[in-house]
Amino acid sequence: MAAVPTYAHTVNGRGHPSIPDQLVAEGDIVGLTVVNRSRETHPWHLHGHAVLILSRDRQPATGSPLWVDTFDVRPGEVWEVVFRASNPGT
């Protein structure tokens, strides 16, 4: 009998390959909440876009705006980010 995974990477409670496409229009400003409910740090990135970090664990970002293409989400962390949909891809 195959083991059932305790933790999985999900989007709105759904795991791959059942994650529906998130369709946005070019130029839209899109906000995302990234939550790590696992026991491991997970590098997070959005293919083809940089994201602006708004907050981590409800603490607003301070100083110069921080645009990144990848960030590490530690166990239990919650990140708020935004991006402009400017790369329609192929």
Side-chain angles (χ1 to χ4, degrees):
M1 178 184 237
V4 175
T6 305
Y7 295 97
H9 300 288
T10 63
V11 175
N12 295 330
R14 296 178 138 190
H16 179 74
S18 300
I19 300 169
D21 291 338
Q22 304 295 306
L23 300 177
V24 298
E26 189 169 354
D28 282 355
I29 302 296
V30 181
L32 300 170
T33 302
V34 180
V35 181
N36 185 347
R37 292 189 178 105
S38 78
R39 295 178 182 160
E40 297 180 11
T41 298
H42 183 74
W44 190 93
H45 64 110
L46 183 63
H47 295 232
H49 291 86
V51 297
L52 174 64
I53 303 298
L54 298 180
S55 70
R56 186 180 82 191
D57 291 335
R58 297 187 176 91
Q59 297 299 311
T62 60
S64 298
L66 181 58
W67 289 90
V68 298
D69 62 3
T70 304
F71 57 96
D72 286 336
V73 185
R74 292 185 173 91
E77 286 186 334
V78 178
W79 293 66
E80 298 284 342
V81 300
V82 295
F83 72 98
R84 178 181 300 275
S86 59
N87 180 358
T90 54

